[in-house]
Amino acid sequence: VERNGNFALSNGLVSAVISSSGQLVSLTSGADTKRDVFVTAGGKQLAGNKLLLFDDQPLYWDAWDIMDYHLETETCLNNDAVSTPVKIVENNSLRCSLSWGCKVGRTSSLQQEISLTADCPYITFHTTVDWSENHKLLKVGFDTSIQTTNATYDTQFGSLKRSTTVNTSWDSARYEVCGHKWADLSEPGWGVSVLNESKFGWSGRDSSLTLTLLKSPKAPDDTCDMRQHSFAYAIMPHTGTVEESSVVQRGYEFNNPLKFEMLPSDAVAAESSRSWCSIEGEGVVLHTVKPAEDGSGDLVLRLFESKGTRSSARVELLLPVRAVRECNGMEDPGDEVDFTQNADAIIIPVNLTPFKIFALRLSF
């Protein structure tokens, strides 16, 4: 819905307001309209999806280093009017989408589609950039109302926390943090996460999160990263802390979207909707399913605890399993694991300590 030059999107799970220049100026979760990610308790208006351009002049390693003094050269590309203001491109019961664009630097350009689907708790930003800059950094920033001293960043098999303050020299040096599928700012009771599928440089300062999108080094390759780029990120408010919310699951969903395959009607059996594997229990993720490297025909399942707590779960498999053993990273068989048979399924109990990686080797 367009209101006074702004655009309101809502699906009952999340509500957002987008300005005519593509900035996110309001974001609330479900019916909780009293807590707005971009409006402070004192009524101060903040914004997200701010496209930021920086100078990037490393001292030594052009393609690898990002120096702290680049932070003094910030230019926001969509603070005011943009070359292609926001317009509605899709609006139906399943999905609504907005489109806008702007110039980047002297010769580059950016096009973005902002979308919300009917059952999705986050706003997605599909972005295409024609990139031809020289020693520039492109980032996207989210200035939030969240009050916290730590940001949480996703890593493989867990997450890590970094201070959002610069009280020490160590904190000051962490102006660029490596993270994977998401980064989060949370207070007790609520917070906000930025999801990401292909960019891995983050910055958390005070109440702001910034994601590095593109770099334009000229050595050792003066054409590095030039021309077309396409990527996506999303923002999701949530109740509870990051550990109490569904951020981990949503991060995996964002990075592994469902793939659809059309089958002939006579090929669809009544039990085709059943899952060969399911997990009951909070915080336990089935990360890897692969054949054993020794060619034995065994199957390796690699699980991990994702929330930094002690977790118990049940793994249910619809497979003709004969034996289950623990295994290490080299897939060497270890101790046998007890399991129970339930009709045509087997159930394996799993107890994990915080961030533990646990692998099972199945023989048939």
Side-chain angles (χ1 to χ4, degrees), residues 157 276-277 285-303 315 317 319 321 323-334 348 357-364:
F157 304 127
W276 68 270
C277 178
V285 176
L286 176 59
H287 183 273
T288 305
V289 179
K290 65 181 293 293
E293 293 293 330
D294 59 10
S296 62
D298 288 357
L299 191 67
V300 174
L301 306 183
R302 188 170 295 121
L303 306 96
V315 180
L317 300 170
L319 296 173
V321 175
V324 180
R325 292 181 177 272
E326 294 183 25
C327 68
N328 57 22
M330 299 297 291
E331 302 180 2
D332 300 320
I348 308 170
I357 304 169
F358 185 65
L360 297 169
R361 182 166 174 147
L362 312 179
S363 300
F364 301 97

Side-chain angles (χ1 to χ4, degrees), residues 94-333:
L94 294 180
R95 186 173 120 115
C96 55
S97 297
L98 307 172
S99 177
W100 71 281
C102 68
K103 293 182 178 179
V104 180
R106 294 184 178 181
T107 57
S108 303
S109 62
L110 178 146
Q111 285 292 131
Q112 189 171 78
E113 182 180 283
I114 304 171
S115 63
L116 177 65
T117 56
D119 61 348
C120 189
Y122 50 78
I123 308 290
T124 303
F125 303 83
H126 298 278
T127 311
T128 302
V129 182
D130 188 355
W131 184 243
S132 56
E133 293 304 297
N134 184 350
H135 288 113
K136 297 290 184 180
L137 277 175
L138 181 64
K139 301 187 179 188
V140 60
F142 298 87
D143 297 332
T144 78
S145 62
I146 306 296
Q147 296 295 304
T148 181
T149 56
N150 287 289
T152 307
Y153 303 93
D154 174 63
T155 64
Q156 188 179 31
F157 304 127
S159 60
L160 57 88
K161 293 185 184 294
R162 291 286 183 262
S163 174
T164 58
T165 66
V166 288
N167 293 330
T168 69
S169 58
W170 294 285
D171 294 339
S172 180
R174 292 168 179 156
Y175 52 86
E176 191 87 1
V177 178
C178 179
H180 290 172
K181 295 179 289 297
W182 52 265
D184 181 90
L185 296 173
S186 287
E187 299 176 10
W190 78 304
V192 63
S193 290
V194 176
L195 311 179
N196 157 59
E197 40 83 87
S198 61
K199 308 296 178 181
F200 309 114
W202 300 87
S203 179
R205 284 288 180 260
D206 298 322
S207 297
S208 297
L209 268 180
T210 305
L211 174 63
T212 300
L213 303 175
L214 291 172
K215 186 175 168 72
S216 54
K218 296 304 169 186
D221 180 3
D222 62 356
T223 63
C224 177
D225 287 345
M226 293 294 101
R227 306 316 299 173
Q228 293 290 327
H229 294 264
S230 182
F231 49 85
Y233 53 88
I235 185 167
M236 183 181 76
H238 59 79
T239 56
T241 63
V242 62
E243 292 83 9
E244 297 165 341
S245 67
S246 61
V247 172
V248 174
Q249 178 179 341
R250 299 303 182 183
Y252 272 101
E253 290 173 357
F254 191 66
N255 279 263
N256 300 275
L258 286 175
K259 297 180 180 179
F260 298 93
E261 182 178 353
M262 297 298 294
L263 298 175
S265 58
D266 57 356
V268 181
E271 60 230 6
S272 61
S273 63
R274 300 181 69 184
S275 175
W276 68 270
C277 178
S278 62
I279 297 178
E280 293 182 11
E282 287 291 323
V284 178
V285 176
L286 176 59
H287 183 273
T288 305
V289 179
K290 65 181 293 293
E293 293 293 330
D294 59 10
S296 62
D298 288 357
L299 191 67
V300 174
L301 306 183
R302 188 170 295 121
L303 306 96
F304 76 98
E305 200 290 315
S306 66
K307 296 189 175 183
T309 63
R310 292 180 179 269
S311 298
S312 298
R314 290 162 27 113
V315 180
E316 183 174 314
L317 300 170
L318 297 180
L319 296 173
V321 175
R322 175 178 56 83
V324 180
R325 292 181 177 272
E326 294 183 25
C327 68
N328 57 22
M330 299 297 291
E331 302 180 2
D332 300 320

